[in-house]
Amino acid sequence: MTETTDLSHGATRRTRPLALKIAVGILLLQALANAAGGVLLLMVAAEDIEHGRDVPALQYVLGYASIAIGVVLLACGVLLVRGVLAARPVVVCLEVLAMVGGLVNVVLGAPQAVVGLVLAGLVLMHLYRAEVTEWFRERTEQRTGAYSG
């Protein structure tokens, strides 16, 4: 891990670990996929209405929820890059839900859901690596002024 010197405090600070960069990259991919999927669901609903077909309310709920999850994942990715540890539990909750949904889909016969399972597992694995946890600890100590250098 590369170290740089923070001249304002005279302390040594580490750059972001590669594991965190990988986790955030996957989060951004998931955010884009969720938002795009939600927009697609809403576009299909609008086309169905245009042609006089009924649209189930669940389609709207899933579309808007998918967009909201995409926005939350994007915000969490930005917060993680900035060293805000509070974003990690939110990401964990969303990834665990994604894994549960993926397992249900695999059991119901959708083998492509394995991709979502793997991505969620990679995010969780990388977010809790020792070097990432240490980086967050250092960032928290720097913010609170308890950093000992």
Side-chain angles (χ1 to χ4, degrees), residues 21-96:
K21 292 176 185 178
I22 291 170
V24 169
I26 295 170
L27 276 177
L28 296 179
L29 175 69
Q30 288 176 321
L32 180 63
N34 268 300
V39 168
L40 182 63
L41 277 172
L42 295 176
M43 286 174 56
V44 168
E47 188 170 322
D48 283 348
I49 288 176
E50 235 178 66
H51 290 88
R53 294 185 288 257
D54 288 334
V55 177
L58 182 61
Q59 189 168 350
Y60 288 110
V61 170
L62 291 176
Y64 287 119
S66 188
I67 292 170
I69 289 170
V71 170
V72 170
L73 286 173
L74 178 65
C76 285
V78 170
L79 291 173
L80 287 172
V81 166
R82 298 191 68 188
V84 178
L85 186 59
R88 199 157 67 165
V90 176
V91 171
V92 169
C93 288
L94 290 175
E95 296 300 341
V96 167

